[in-house]
């Protein structure tokens, strides 16, 4: 059925309900991002972070606000977002690989459900630790705490922030089950998009104050659209591995005898290494920065906090190392060459020109050729905000959102969401979101 693709989306009841449900959940998430936790003076917070912004000393707050749409500087109930859950999920996945007993549990019937439950419990523990660090950070802001009993304030804040994070995770699960797209990724996407208006305002103010030259702003704006095009081009690229299945006779029927292919993306791990590396760094950096801001902190803690400033070289080195690590780790977990080769052999398939016993080695070789360039591409995009801020003197809030990490996450989540909408449209015999009826991938 031809017609406007946007109109077609709202013609299909299932797709319309999924889209509206997703928008409703995101609206609830944004509402919780502006609700300040009990015991905090929101006016004092606003003045404090505005002063830091004018002095260009809000690197840590901008970094934390990056994924939660300003919820951190608001000290809101959703100020930690889904980052504690992702950090715990990464730790649990690593533990399953390292410890054979956990791997056996994961492979049992109902094992994944037990692992998921343990991940939720671990998330609560991580939230309690991070929320305690938040209360320590709050004490460094003069006049921000209105409850005289510090113990009561800390207990109340820890319970509120931990509950807010678990509610955020539940909201993400609801989007995954009843909405459009991956819920956790959509939460991060919403947080990044919510920061765009403030980033534009900060940039405009910097231009008016003469801090940023207009010509530099135009250059970065051109870079912004060029990076979007580059990310879309890179995300849609595929390496197709041909597979031939021989004919087999099962009972009275003949199966096989067909040619197909295995699609390996140019960047097999997609945006996940960036999300994993950012979330895993968030946990220690938050603790170090918050405890380091305390005047009674040990000297080495203060030095470590300076070393791990989000726009510093120490942070960027760790970020690059983690991106490369998670690019290989995530690819091996999701695209296991051993498992793919076993499935090909069991179904009577073979790769033309490759011996059957060399299939795993061949697939691993192809993946290695794809993973490293993809990881290096992500690394370049990740350090781009620091380069923009250093060379063009952009505000950090603008540099982080116009740089590579945010764009890759936004484009990656957007492409994934569009693919799901495309599939639902096709299932209901509608035209796709593009004129030719489907979102195409390039073959390499």
């Amino acid at each position: 059925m031809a017609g406007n693709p946007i109109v077609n989306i709202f013609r299909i009841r299932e797709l319309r309900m999924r889209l509206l449900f997703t928008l409703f959940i995101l609206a609830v998430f944004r509402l919780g991002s502006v609700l300040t936790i009990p015991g905090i003076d929101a006016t004092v917070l606003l003045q404090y972070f505005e002063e830091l912004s004018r002095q260009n000393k809000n690197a840590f707050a901008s970094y934390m606000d990056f994924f939660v749409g300003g919820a951190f500087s608001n000290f809101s109930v959703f100020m930690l977002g889904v980052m504690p859950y992702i950090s715990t999920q990464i730790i649990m996945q690593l533990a399953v690989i390292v410890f054979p007993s956990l791997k056996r549990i994961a492979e049992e019937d109902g094992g994944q459900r037990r692992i998921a439950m343990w991940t939720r419990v671990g998330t609560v523990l991580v939230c309690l630790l991070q929320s305690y660090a938040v209360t320590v950070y709050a004490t460094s802001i003069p006049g921000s705490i209105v409850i005289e009993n510090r113990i009561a304030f800390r207990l109340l804040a820890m319970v509120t922030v931990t509950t807010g994070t678990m509610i955020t995770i539940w909201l993400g699960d609801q989007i995954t089950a009843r909405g459009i797209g991956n819920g956790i990724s959509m939460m991060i996407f919403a947080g990044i998009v919510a920061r765009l208006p403030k980033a534009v305002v900060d940039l405009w103010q910097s231009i008016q104050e003469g801090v940023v030259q207009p010509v530099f702003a135009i250059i970065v704006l051109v870079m912004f659209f060029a990076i979007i095009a580059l990310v879309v081009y890179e995300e849609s690229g595929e390496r197709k591995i041909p597979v031939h299945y021989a004919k087999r006779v099962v009972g009275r029927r003949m199966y096989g005898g067909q040619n197909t292919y295995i699609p390996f993306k140019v960047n097999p791990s997609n945006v996940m290494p960036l999300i994993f590396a950012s979330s895993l760094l968030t946990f220690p950096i938050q603790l170090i920065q918050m405890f380091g801001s305390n005047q009674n902190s040990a000297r080495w803690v203060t030095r470590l906090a300076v070393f791990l400033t989000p726009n510093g070289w120490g942070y960027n080195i760790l970020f690059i190392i983690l991106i490369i690590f998670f690019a290989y780790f995530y690819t091996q977990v999701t695209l296991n060459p051993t498992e793919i080769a076993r499935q090909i052999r069991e179904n009577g398939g073979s790769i033309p020109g490759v011996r059957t016993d060399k299939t795993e080695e061949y697939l691993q070789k192809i993946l290695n050729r794809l993973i490293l360039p993809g990881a290096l591409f992500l690394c370049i995009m990740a350090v781009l905000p620091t380069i923009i801020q250093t060379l063009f003197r952009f505000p950090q809030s603008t540099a982080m959102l116009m740089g590579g990490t945010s764009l890759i996450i936004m484009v990656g989540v957007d492409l994934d969401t569009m693919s799901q909408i495309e599939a639902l449209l096709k299932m209901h015999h509608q035209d796709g979101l593009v004129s030719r009826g489907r979102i195409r991938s390039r073959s390499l």
Side-chain angles (χ1 to χ4, degrees):
M1 183 183 295
N4 190 310
I6 304 300
V7 174
N8 289 342
I9 289 176
F10 288 94
R11 282 177 179 170
I12 303 171
R13 185 177 185 279
E14 178 190 0
L15 188 54
R16 182 176 67 249
M17 296 304 295
R18 282 180 173 272
L19 183 60
L20 293 177
F21 180 80
T22 301
L23 293 175
F24 172 74
I25 294 296
L26 293 179
V28 173
F29 172 65
R30 291 305 305 151
L31 177 62
S33 300
V34 297
L35 296 178
T36 306
I37 61 176
I40 291 290
D41 191 329
T43 305
V44 173
L45 283 181
L46 180 63
Q47 295 174 352
Y48 176 78
F49 285 111
E50 282 185 351
E51 182 63 26
L52 286 183
S53 181
R54 283 194 294 267
Q55 298 175 5
N56 202 23
K57 295 181 180 180
N58 62 335
F60 172 65
S62 295
Y63 173 79
M64 296 299 296
D65 278 336
F66 176 69
F67 296 103
V68 289
F72 180 82
S73 57
N74 292 332
F75 271 61
S76 74
V77 294
F78 291 163
M79 66 183 302
L80 297 181
V82 296
M83 290 300 131
Y85 175 70
I86 297 177
S87 300
T88 309
Q89 202 173 38
I90 296 168
I91 295 171
M92 186 61 68
Q93 288 181 0
L94 291 172
V96 168
I97 294 175
V98 173
F99 299 104
S101 58
L102 282 177
K103 187 175 182 179
R104 286 194 298 270
I105 293 174
E107 293 174 349
E108 296 174 354
D109 290 338
Q112 290 298 327
R113 186 175 299 176
R114 293 176 64 184
I115 296 294
M117 182 189 68
W118 294 342
T119 302
R120 298 297 174 98
V121 173
T123 302
V124 173
L125 298 178
V126 171
C127 286
L128 289 173
L129 183 58
Q130 286 189 263
S131 58
Y132 176 76
V134 165
T135 63
V136 175
Y137 185 62
T139 58
S140 66
I141 304 176
S144 62
I145 304 175
V146 297
I147 297 179
E148 295 183 1
N149 190 326
R150 289 292 187 265
I151 296 178
F153 165 73
R154 286 182 174 174
L155 290 175
L156 180 61
M158 290 170 65
V159 171
T160 303
V161 172
T162 300
T163 304
T165 297
M166 301 310 295
I167 291 175
T168 304
I169 296 169
W170 180 80
L171 291 175
D173 291 341
Q174 297 306 303
I175 291 179
T176 302
R178 301 168 57 187
I180 295 290
N182 179 280
I184 300 299
S185 298
M186 289 295 288
M187 291 294 182
I188 299 174
F189 176 84
I192 294 174
V193 171
R195 298 291 291 169
L196 284 173
K198 184 179 186 304
V200 173
V201 171
D202 289 346
L203 178 59
W204 178 252
Q205 290 178 347
S206 298
I207 293 175
Q208 288 184 322
E209 295 171 0
V211 177
V212 177
Q213 297 298 322
V215 64
F216 291 158
I218 295 174
I219 291 173
V220 174
L221 187 62
V222 172
M223 290 173 56
F224 177 79
F225 291 106
I227 291 171
I228 290 178
L230 180 62
V231 172
V232 172
Y233 184 80
E234 185 265 347
E235 289 290 332
S236 61
E238 288 183 350
R239 170 69 184 271
K240 296 181 178 180
I241 311 299
V243 180
H244 175 72
Y245 289 96
K247 293 182 179 179
R248 297 180 299 158
V249 178
V250 180
R252 295 184 178 182
R253 291 192 173 185
M254 182 175 292
Y255 296 89
Q258 62 180 353
N259 295 320
T260 183
Y261 63 89
I262 303 172
F264 284 164
K265 296 189 67 174
V266 173
N267 180 16
S269 55
N270 205 343
V271 72
M272 297 311 296
L274 278 174
I275 296 179
F276 281 3
S278 299
S279 60
L280 195 61
L281 274 178
T282 298
F283 181 42
I285 285 179
Q286 182 188 6
L287 298 181
I288 292 169
Q289 292 285 343
M290 288 183 173
F291 287 111
S293 63
N294 196 324
Q295 296 180 353
N296 299 323
S297 301
R299 183 175 298 177
W300 69 269
V301 177
T302 304
R303 289 179 178 176
L304 190 59
V306 174
F307 177 75
L308 291 178
T309 301
N311 59 347
W313 63 271
Y315 165 81
N316 281 285
I317 289 175
L318 285 176
F319 199 18
I320 289 173
I321 292 173
L322 285 176
I323 287 173
I324 295 175
F325 168 75
F326 282 119
Y328 281 91
F329 169 75
Y330 186 78
T331 303
Q332 291 297 322
V333 171
T334 56
L335 296 173
N336 190 335
T338 304
E339 184 65 23
I340 296 175
R342 184 183 64 81
Q343 291 179 359
I344 292 175
R345 287 193 299 267
E346 288 180 353
N347 290 280
S350 63
I351 299 175
V354 180
R355 288 170 46 186
T356 304
D357 59 340
K358 296 291 184 179
T359 302
E360 179 183 344
E361 182 180 340
Y362 175 78
L363 293 176
Q364 185 64 65
K365 183 179 179 181
I366 295 297
L367 280 177
N368 288 339
R369 288 179 177 178
L370 294 175
I371 294 172
L372 185 57
L376 293 178
F377 171 78
L378 293 178
C379 291
I380 294 173
M381 294 296 101
V383 301
L384 196 58
T386 302
I387 296 174
I388 291 176
Q389 186 180 1
T390 304
L391 293 182
F392 303 115
R393 301 179 65 187
F394 268 48
Q396 183 168 10
S397 60
T398 306
M400 291 185 70
L401 289 171
M402 297 189 70
T405 304
S406 60
L407 290 186
I408 291 178
I409 293 176
M410 286 192 294
V411 172
V413 174
D414 181 63
L415 289 176
D416 179 63
T417 305
M418 287 178 63
S419 296
Q420 291 195 26
I421 296 175
E422 181 87 2
L424 286 169
L425 284 172
K426 286 295 183 181
M427 187 174 67
H428 289 83
H429 309 291
Q430 297 280 350
D431 284 339
L433 292 174
V434 293
S435 58
R436 296 189 180 183
R438 66 186 180 92
I439 300 172
R440 297 184 178 273
S441 296
R442 296 177 295 102
S443 299
L444 298 179

